[in-house]
Amino acid sequence: FAVVYAEGAVIMGKGDYGSIGEKRYTSILNKIRQSDRVKAVVLRVNSPGGIAISSENIWREVERIKEAGKPVVVSMGDYAASGGYLIAC
């Protein structure tokens, strides 16, 4: 299984340490979906939210993982508000 830590504000672009950059996270999730080695995903969300369209794009990648038949389990930290909650859905 893969563990993905989504910590910080959801932002556009690649982002950096302490943020959830849309391009970086959609890329990570896409690789997980395509990997034959990964059978399930744990998504650890600790985010106050952020950019709505970026959150939706990350959410779509999580949905694609589920559509590929891989279970996704979400663990919420201190914050899972707004866009952080959306990607956890």
Side-chain angles (χ1 to χ4, degrees):
F1 66 93
V3 179
V4 178
Y5 291 90
E7 303 229 359
V10 180
I11 62 171
M12 297 174 103
K14 186 175 179 182
D16 55 7
Y17 183 76
S19 66
I20 305 169
E22 171 191 358
K23 289 187 185 228
R24 182 171 47 143
Y25 277 82
T26 55
S27 175
I28 290 167
L29 295 168
N30 186 20
K31 288 177 185 175
I32 287 170
R33 177 174 49 88
Q34 294 181 23
S35 174
D36 292 333
R37 296 178 57 195
V38 177
K39 304 299 182 198
V41 179
V42 175
L43 179 60
R44 173 69 175 170
V45 178
N46 192 19
S47 173
I51 306 296
I53 191 68
S54 297
S55 299
E56 185 166 335
N57 289 335
I58 295 168
W59 169 78
R60 284 186 187 154
E61 286 300 324
V62 173
E63 285 295 307
R64 288 181 180 126
I65 290 171
K66 294 189 315 188
E67 289 169 1
K70 297 181 183 188
V72 177
V73 176
V74 174
S75 169
M76 295 184 188
D78 292 334
Y79 299 101
S82 183
Y85 185 78
L86 176 61
I87 66 175
C89 289

